[in-house]
Amino acid sequence: MDSGNKGFNFNFDFGKRTNTENIHKGSKGFKQAFSDFKQDMKIRDNNRKGSNPFKVIFLTLVIMFILFFVTLPALNFMAPEFYSFLIAGIVLFNVLNLIFGKMPIFKIGSISAILVAILLLAPIVIGFFAQPIFRAKAYSTLIPVSDANFADTVTEISYDKVPVVDREAAAIIGARQMGSVQEVVSQFEINENYTQINIKGVPVRVSPLAYSDLIKYFLNFRNGIPYYVKVDMATQEADLIKLVSPLKYSKSDILMRDIIRHNRFKYPTMMFGETNFEVDDEGNGFYITSVLTKRIGFFGGTDVKGAIVTNGSTGESNYYDVADVPHWVDRVYPADLIIQQLDYRGSYSDGFINSIIGQRNVTRTTRGYNYVPLNDDIYLFTGVTSIRSDSSNLGFYFVNLRTKDAMFFSVPSADEFSAMNSATGQIQEKNYVPAFPVLLNIKDRPTYLIGLKDASGLAKMFALVDAENYQKVEVGNTVQEVINQYYMRTDTSNLPGEDANELTIKIEEIQSVVIDGNTIYYIKAAGDDVVYVGTAKTLGAPIVFAKPGDSLKVFGNPRNNQFDILEIR
């Protein structure tokens, strides 16, 4: 029994001592194991019979060049992809050294791990302090906006220049033109970019052709792409236009004739935004690539600093600062970037905390935008609504896409989607789908023009909706018809305005037209650019006998470049 107890005690004591010793031994063992590992790695490194280090470096550079050729990252410390590219290079170098090289694995790996950690953490830390929570005021001033009067700034345009074709409809209309030229129908397809631009004052959407596939590319690349599609946004007519010089550089080309790769190798450090196809007034095809920068800290506040204009035929590329971009260029600033900056302005003008808690004077853009031609430039327009989105607008933003000049029109109105619903309500039996509206000046009032599309995606009817009173709706089969109807229904020209006055004019030319059964007279006066307009009903019988050279004493309302005659005195 005694020996049994001793045996039991011996085993118990031994177990306790063993656990304690193992703890100390484990601590020392880890240090010893790590030291042994380093020593073992040194021995292995000394015994390695790999390639010359320069061969590993050279192979790394070759593979990284191939990766650069394929992915085309901007070699710019402001570009997030640059850090990913560097990390990929470090990892690749270590893998190649492990397999083929004889440089110290542990030492090189340790240094590489530190570099990778820096490349991962530095952008995160620096970028964190460039966030709106710290730099709200800087974000709110990325896009300066001036207040303007809608009626004085947005002039009335004739019905034959009203843009009614959106990108979806342009693609459908353009596709129907491919069969008009036999030589291209089997070799090319249409690139569905469809950039909205102005050509000689007419709003159009343009898109170049593209090689159908790789085989068609090799059959045609020597001659280039000969045509582009032009869709007239007012008439909804498309044409296949032959370029002055075929495109030898495009988005559908490969290798060094790919337009993005071509520019990347010429401007390796520049950060590219979107690239759009445009045509100058002489019919030459160009690609316009916006060049981005960061305005806030090192990684915040994306903005455009200039544009690269590339001749699609010769490949000649030139960089211009924003202020120096040629005037025929219409698209420099990406629309999504403009919307983002406008939302920053609406959210952070009174600070970051206010944007979250108080939300005093916090606004945002509505859920869509469109483009309108103005002064031979393309303007993005979108509504401005409160952060709580109560189906009404506080006004509208108009932003020049070439210069970023931005205007705000304070016009309390229905938002675009309320107007779209009001328009479809007039013809709900047809099940037409409304396109996002275009904002026009109709008799000095902001008015939505909405295309009503059938199942094919084309506008079959049109609606005009008064933005300030969306219950006022006119629907017609053509733009001209709906504008004429709107004028007749909202005509207040028989009432004198605050600035009504009396003038004596000498008739230089007089014309009459019949619209919806009403005879309207248009008079051009000698030495005067104003068009004098009146109906037979308001002017009476004397106007029927008026002829060039006669003098008329008229009373009426001046309105921009028009004078609405109330009566002849």
Side-chain angles (χ1 to χ4, degrees), residues 448-493:
Y448 294 118
L449 175 66
I450 302 170
L452 301 169
K453 302 189 292 185
D454 63 5
S456 70
L458 299 180
K460 297 300 184 181
M461 298 186 73
F462 301 91
L464 278 176
V465 181
D466 189 308
E468 295 179 90
N469 183 358
Y470 69 101
Q471 300 298 328
K472 292 183 179 180
V473 184
E474 289 295 330
V475 178
N477 293 312
T478 66
V479 174
Q480 181 180 10
E481 178 184 329
V482 73
I483 288 179
N484 289 339
Q485 289 179 191
Y486 190 86
Y487 266 95
M488 298 302 296
R489 293 286 182 89
T490 61
D491 185 21
T492 58
S493 58

Side-chain angles (χ1 to χ4, degrees), residues 499-507 523-533 539 543 550-569:
D499 53 354
N501 58 21
E502 183 178 273
L503 297 174
T504 298
I505 61 174
K506 186 175 182 179
I507 299 176
I523 301 171
K524 183 178 180 182
D528 195 344
D529 293 331
V530 174
V531 177
Y532 295 83
V533 182
L539 300 181
I543 196 64
D550 290 350
S551 292
L552 289 179
K553 181 179 289 187
V554 297
F555 173 76
N557 297 315
R559 179 165 56 86
N560 293 332
N561 293 323
Q562 183 173 309
F563 187 96
D564 295 326
I565 304 174
L566 301 181
E567 61 179 296
I568 297 176
R569 293 184 171 179

Side-chain angles (χ1 to χ4, degrees), residues 225-535:
I225 298 173
Y227 293 91
Y228 72 94
V229 176
K230 181 180 76 172
V231 179
D232 190 309
M233 297 187 64
T235 64
Q236 299 192 80
E237 295 178 354
D239 292 299
L240 203 59
I241 308 295
K242 191 163 188 175
L243 288 155
V244 173
S245 300
L247 300 176
K248 298 293 183 67
Y249 297 82
S250 71
K251 290 184 177 180
S252 65
D253 273 90
I254 62 175
L255 301 179
M256 292 307 297
R257 281 181 30 172
D258 174 87
I259 191 66
I260 306 299
R261 183 171 292 110
H262 172 76
N263 283 335
R264 171 56 69 217
F265 274 82
K266 185 169 183 180
Y267 303 99
T269 63
M270 290 187 176
M271 296 185 293
F272 296 161
E274 66 180 22
T275 296
N276 290 306
F277 176 76
E278 294 198 25
V279 180
D280 67 6
D281 291 341
E282 286 71 46
N284 299 295
F286 289 84
Y287 285 91
I288 315 301
T289 302
S290 55
V291 178
L292 308 178
T293 188
K294 303 292 183 178
R295 302 289 188 197
I296 302 172
F298 210 65
F299 298 104
T302 303
D303 200 5
V304 173
K305 70 173 185 176
I308 298 169
V309 180
T310 306
N311 187 310
S313 176
T314 65
E316 179 185 359
S317 296
N318 293 291
Y319 169 76
Y320 299 91
D321 289 333
V322 168
D324 302 323
V325 172
H327 285 280
W328 61 264
V329 173
D330 289 313
R331 305 289 291 269
V332 173
Y333 285 84
D336 290 341
L337 178 63
I338 293 297
I339 293 296
Q340 182 186 67
Q341 292 187 354
L342 291 173
D343 283 336
Y344 284 151
R345 179 180 185 268
S347 295
Y348 304 129
S349 291
D350 289 325
F352 181 81
I353 300 299
N354 179 70
S355 71
I356 302 298
I357 301 177
Q359 296 186 330
R360 180 173 56 89
N361 298 325
V362 174
T363 64
R364 65 172 180 83
T365 57
T366 48
R367 292 172 292 157
Y369 58 84
N370 212 329
Y371 308 106
V372 292
L374 185 63
N375 303 325
D376 204 29
D377 278 320
I378 297 295
Y379 279 73
L380 176 147
F381 103 85
T382 185
V384 187
T385 186
S386 69
I387 194 65
R388 303 194 184 282
S389 184
D390 53 1
S391 299
S392 64
N393 283 345
L394 304 173
F396 301 96
Y397 286 124
F398 270 49
V399 184
N400 189 314
L401 292 180
R402 177 173 58 85
T403 65
K404 205 176 79 168
D405 291 337
M407 297 174 288
F408 172 68
F409 304 120
S410 179
V411 182
S413 57
D415 70 6
E416 294 89 330
F417 292 92
S418 296
M420 291 161 66
N421 291 334
S422 184
T424 53
Q426 298 292 310
I427 51 168
Q428 53 187 326
E429 73 281 356
K430 295 183 180 294
N431 294 319
Y432 285 169
V433 177
F436 195 84
V438 175
L439 190 67
L440 303 178
N441 179 350
I442 304 292
K443 303 190 75 170
D444 290 344
R445 292 180 65 84
T447 308
Y448 294 118
L449 175 66
I450 302 170
L452 301 169
K453 302 189 292 185
D454 63 5
S456 70
L458 299 180
K460 297 300 184 181
M461 298 186 73
F462 301 91
L464 278 176
V465 181
D466 189 308
E468 295 179 90
N469 183 358
Y470 69 101
Q471 300 298 328
K472 292 183 179 180
V473 184
E474 289 295 330
V475 178
N477 293 312
T478 66
V479 174
Q480 181 180 10
E481 178 184 329
V482 73
I483 288 179
N484 289 339
Q485 289 179 191
Y486 190 86
Y487 266 95
M488 298 302 296
R489 293 286 182 89
T490 61
D491 185 21
T492 58
S493 58
N494 60 333
L495 300 175
E498 294 180 0
D499 53 354
N501 58 21
E502 183 178 273
L503 297 174
T504 298
I505 61 174
K506 186 175 182 179
I507 299 176
E508 181 177 302
E509 185 177 354
I510 182 169
Q511 298 286 342
S512 65
V513 295
V514 178
I515 300 176
D516 291 340
N518 297 285
T519 302
I520 301 177
Y521 286 88
Y522 295 88
I523 301 171
K524 183 178 180 182
D528 195 344
D529 293 331
V530 174
V531 177
Y532 295 83
V533 182
T535 65

Side-chain angles (χ1 to χ4, degrees), residues 84-149:
S84 301
F85 183 71
L86 291 179
I87 291 172
I90 293 172
V91 173
L92 175 64
F93 173 75
N94 278 270
V95 171
L96 293 176
N97 180 53
L98 178 64
I99 298 173
F100 304 111
K102 60 181 181 180
M103 287 178 283
I105 296 175
F106 183 78
K107 184 177 181 181
I108 295 297
S110 299
I111 295 173
S112 297
I114 294 172
L115 290 176
V116 169
I118 292 173
L119 292 173
L120 284 173
L121 294 176
I124 294 174
V125 174
I126 297 174
F128 175 74
F129 289 103
Q131 294 302 303
I133 188 172
F134 301 106
R135 306 291 300 276
K137 185 60 68 174
Y139 277 90
S140 70
T141 56
L142 280 171
I143 181 168
V145 178
S146 59
D147 293 330
N149 180 273

